[in-house]
Amino acid sequence: MKQTYISEISKHLGQEITIKGWLYNKRSSGKLGFLEIRDGSGIIQGVVSKKDVSDETWESTEKVTQESSVIITGAPREHPKKPGVYELDIKDLRIVQLAHEYPITPKEHGVEFLMDKRHLWLRSRRQHAILRVRHEIIRAVRDFFDNNGFILCDTPVFTPAACEGTTTLFEVGYFDEKAYLTQSGQLYNEATAAAFGKVYCFGPTFRAEKSKTRRHLTEFWMVEPEVAYAKLDDVMELAENFIGHIVSRVLESRREELNVLERDISKLEKIAPPFPRLQYDDAVKMLQEGHTKGALESRFEWGGDLGSPDETYISSQYDKPVMVHRYPAAVKAFYMEPDPERPDLALCVDVLAPEGYGEIIGGGERASSLELLLNRIQEHGLPEEAFDWYLDLRKYGSVPHAGFGMGIERCVAWLCGLEHVRETIPFPRMLYRLKP
RNA sequence: UCCUCAGUAGCUCAAUGGCAGAGCAUCCGGCUGUUAACCGGAGGGUUGUAGGUUCGAGUCCUACCUGAGGAGCCA
């Protein structure tokens, strides 16, 4: 019999249908059984009464175990006590495979155990909600760029040399030479932007940093737009419209999932452009005031990069993402364009998400002068020969250009209101975790 | 790399230096509207590893292992 998905159940009320899925949980009351069935599209409670089914079917419903694969025939109808909720009157149940004792019980579990069983944990309601939001965010990301004249130009995962120092890169054997897993598609984006004008790349990114916090993965997904002839202000406007689009799409299409996650939706409803802009100089003042008030332990001095507690403090002053721009050039990457009015500052921007979710976007205007880049490469002790192709971009029609990168997992964690990014990707890769 | 915390049944946890326990899961029995269902019964242990203190260590001490949170670094 043709399979009906639980998400489509309301179109089949009163009809006999077949659901192919798994037993999520089971309760019984003597000769009346309640079987929660999931099929990937949703979960529905099946009701089976001994007097209404064959002995074989009743026996099957009694012995079926949690997460056994099952094919069920029955008729959906409204829940007697809950309007808008559907139930299935079970007429027949066939066990495809009787599951062994399932390790994830309906009681609570610790993180370590659940991470070890990640391949099974993905079957839970909560993980479904998170990964559906992730899916929606990714769709919104693609739609935003695709509908705004950007060309998807993906960049390589294997790269020949370190761009920002080898310590943060995973080294792999590449036949007879060494290669590194990409930590950013940006340098390649600059080449494709010079070819196509407006481009983006979207793929996995690898960082070998020994970071062990709720915001870090060693493998994560990053989307990076790059726009030829764009200035810092253009890219800040792009970033706020981009985030605004993502948030409104999630609110529009994934409200049910946010409710499963008990997300405070009112906080997300405030996220609409324009976002506050805060120059680094003013951020320093804000942090120093925060220290005077006793909200921050140490006094922040001009010249340093913002630490996590600093970012959290700044973002707590706003109910929207805040765009901190024009950091000291010394704490930023070699390819940043200096501010012509203040050459000690870089034309860069970090977008800090609200509620302490930290930096979700980093970007800025790229240096367009060949001489400047050559000097910077020397100052940073980087191998010039590795950048010959990159320097070509400054020899052949160099233009001002800018872009940014957004970490998908941090965005998912923020919109879902999660404690940790590890639940935002199906199989997280972290320091000390490579399995499953 | 550094700081803090934790490790006891398959899972989540309890046990003043003095008989190693409960709930869930599993198995057996009961229950016709359950919702992490409930009620009764049963089985289930090298207390992370190695050493030490003590009449006696899950508990105190030392080292190590594993994990979690944070710092630095970052998206």
Side-chain angles (χ1 to χ4, degrees), chain A residues 4-269:
Chain A
T4 300
Y5 282 98
I6 292 169
S7 56
E8 302 288 303
I9 209 93
S10 61
K11 297 176 188 164
H12 300 274
L13 297 185
Q15 303 166 14
E16 186 165 292
I17 58 162
T18 295
I19 287 175
K20 299 180 178 178
W22 296 262
L23 183 74
Y24 192 69
N25 195 13
K26 183 171 78 167
R27 292 173 289 272
S28 74
S29 179
K31 303 292 173 271
L32 189 63
F34 299 93
L35 284 68
E36 280 190 284
I37 313 300
R38 59 170 195 88
D39 71 351
S41 78
I43 296 177
I44 190 168
Q45 174 167 274
V47 184
V48 60
S49 171
K50 185 169 194 284
K51 63 177 167 51
D52 294 338
V53 295
S54 68
D55 288 351
E56 291 78 14
T57 297
W58 179 252
E59 217 171 89
S60 294
T61 65
E62 281 201 305
K63 79 173 184 192
V64 68
T65 52
Q66 190 186 355
E67 285 303 327
S68 288
S69 36
V70 292
I71 295 178
I72 289 180
T73 303
R77 54 164 172 71
E78 276 214 34
H79 192 288
K81 293 175 189 167
K82 296 179 183 170
V85 175
Y86 301 105
E87 282 189 330
L88 187 75
D89 281 323
I90 296 176
K91 302 224 164 50
D92 185 54
L93 177 144
R94 191 160 74 74
I95 298 172
V96 179
Q97 189 252 337
L98 189 65
H100 298 210
E101 188 181 330
Y102 192 66
I104 303 178
T105 65
K107 288 279 177 175
E108 53 188 77
H109 299 279
V111 172
E112 186 188 356
F113 177 78
L114 289 170
M115 287 309 305
D116 284 339
K117 306 288 180 208
R118 182 60 175 169
H119 50 296
L120 302 175
W121 190 19
L122 294 172
R123 301 178 181 194
S124 77
R125 263 195 185 94
R126 176 182 162 83
Q127 300 309 311
H128 267 233
I130 294 168
L131 293 175
R132 283 207 169 91
V133 172
R134 177 192 173 95
H135 171 72
E136 195 64 46
I137 289 171
I138 290 171
R139 285 210 328 184
V141 163
R142 291 196 180 282
D143 288 347
F144 179 85
F145 290 124
D146 294 347
N147 295 334
N148 282 285
F150 285 75
I151 300 292
L152 176 70
C153 251
D154 281 320
T155 55
V157 168
F158 288 125
T159 57
C163 297
E164 298 173 34
T166 49
T167 52
T168 62
L169 291 171
F170 286 103
E171 188 180 302
V172 292
Y174 194 78
F175 303 110
D176 293 333
E177 37 183 335
K178 283 177 187 170
Y180 302 90
L181 300 183
T182 181
Q183 64 178 348
S184 166
Q186 189 215 307
L187 301 190
Y188 292 96
N189 262 353
E190 293 183 49
T192 58
F196 296 93
K198 290 172 24 170
V199 298
Y200 72 104
C201 66
F202 184 28
T205 305
F206 307 87
R207 302 269 167 100
E209 290 151 0
K210 293 207 167 176
S211 300
K212 198 172 139 38
T213 78
R214 68 183 70 187
R215 297 180 303 280
H216 287 88
L217 298 171
T218 53
E219 176 183 326
F220 63 98
W221 284 66
M222 187 156 68
V223 57
E224 296 171 273
E226 191 74 28
V227 181
Y229 287 105
K231 309 288 282 181
L232 179 63
D233 284 343
D234 300 319
V235 94
M236 286 203 278
E237 199 181 317
L238 183 69
E240 66 189 355
N241 289 332
F242 175 58
I243 290 177
H245 177 258
I246 293 170
V247 173
S248 63
R249 266 282 288 277
V250 168
L251 284 172
E252 184 186 306
S253 316
R254 297 292 161 182
R255 202 162 274 263
E256 203 178 305
E257 283 79 4
L258 294 176
N259 285 331
V260 168
L261 298 166
E262 296 176 328
R263 181 65 167 108
D264 184 348
I265 288 171
S266 69
K267 290 199 166 136
L268 296 181
E269 282 169 337

Side-chain angles (χ1 to χ4, degrees), chain A residues 360-420:
Chain A
I360 53 168
I361 280 181
E365 206 172 313
R366 324 304 188 185
S368 54
S369 146
L370 179 64
E371 290 69 30
L372 178 73
L373 271 177
L374 281 168
N375 285 338
R376 290 276 180 81
I377 285 170
Q378 273 185 2
E379 282 166 23
H380 285 74
L382 297 167
E384 198 183 308
E385 62 278 9
F387 294 97
D388 50 2
W389 66 269
Y390 182 67
L391 293 168
D392 269 0
L393 303 172
R394 274 70 184 177
K395 292 179 189 167
Y396 307 110
S398 188
V399 294
H401 60 290
F404 62 80
M406 184 185 79
I408 290 294
E409 287 75 16
R410 285 192 183 172
C411 183
V412 177
W414 165 42
L415 296 188
C416 289
L418 305 181
E419 280 294 305
H420 201 297

